Amino acid sequence: QVQLVESGGGMVQAGGSLRLSCAASERTLSRCAVGWFRQAPGKEREFVAVISWSGGSTYYADSVRGRFTIARDITKNTVYLQMESLEPEDTAVYYCAADPDGIAGRADDYDYWGRGTQVTVSS
């Protein structure tokens, strides 16, 4: 069982930056694709970004492409989401998830989930 823990959320003004971290309890994460999702109040959980197990492939939602960067440090068993130029519309709970079967864009494809970290962007 892979346990994921997100950190790095907080409150920031529009235009600001945050870096989220997703740490895994086991080295199994190194063999999983890892994705970030977010869920705003009253909305469905949506895909944000994903990185392959090797780190060689990344994909982003159109709404964050060019502003967010996903990366992984295998030695630290951690995946990061660097968020720049934040907008109030980015306000949500951010979740990381792991999929041992490879890159996926649907939440249902992911086997392991963290509990989320709140990101609030004020205008």
Side-chain angles (χ1 to χ4, degrees):
Q1 183 82 14
V2 176
Q3 294 183 341
L4 305 177
V5 179
E6 303 94 337
S7 62
M11 297 182 63
V12 65
Q13 290 187 332
S17 302
L18 285 173
R19 188 178 78 159
L20 305 184
S21 298
C22 173
S25 60
E26 299 181 5
R27 296 177 62 84
T28 307
L29 187 66
S30 64
R31 297 191 291 274
C32 294
V34 177
W36 284 96
F37 290 77
R38 66 186 182 186
Q39 187 166 18
K43 295 186 178 181
E44 295 185 353
R45 190 169 299 189
E46 65 173 356
F47 167 78
V48 175
V50 62
I51 188 167
S52 63
W53 70 268
S54 68
S57 296
T58 57
Y59 297 92
Y60 298 90
D62 290 343
S63 59
V64 307
R65 187 176 294 112
R67 300 188 298 121
F68 291 10
T69 303
I70 190 170
R72 68 191 306 162
D73 185 336
I74 294 176
T75 63
K76 296 183 178 179
N77 220 25
T78 300
V79 173
Y80 303 98
L81 185 68
Q82 180 68 42
M83 305 186 296
E84 307 282 351
S85 302
L86 283 162
E87 304 167 352
E89 293 74 21
D90 295 317
T91 295
V93 178
Y94 283 70
Y95 300 88
C96 67
D99 182 2
D101 296 326
I103 284 182
R106 300 187 311 163
D108 289 346
D109 292 327
Y110 288 79
D111 294 340
Y112 308 106
W113 289 84
R115 293 186 176 183
T117 184
Q118 176 70 46
V119 171
T120 303
V121 184
S122 61
S123 57

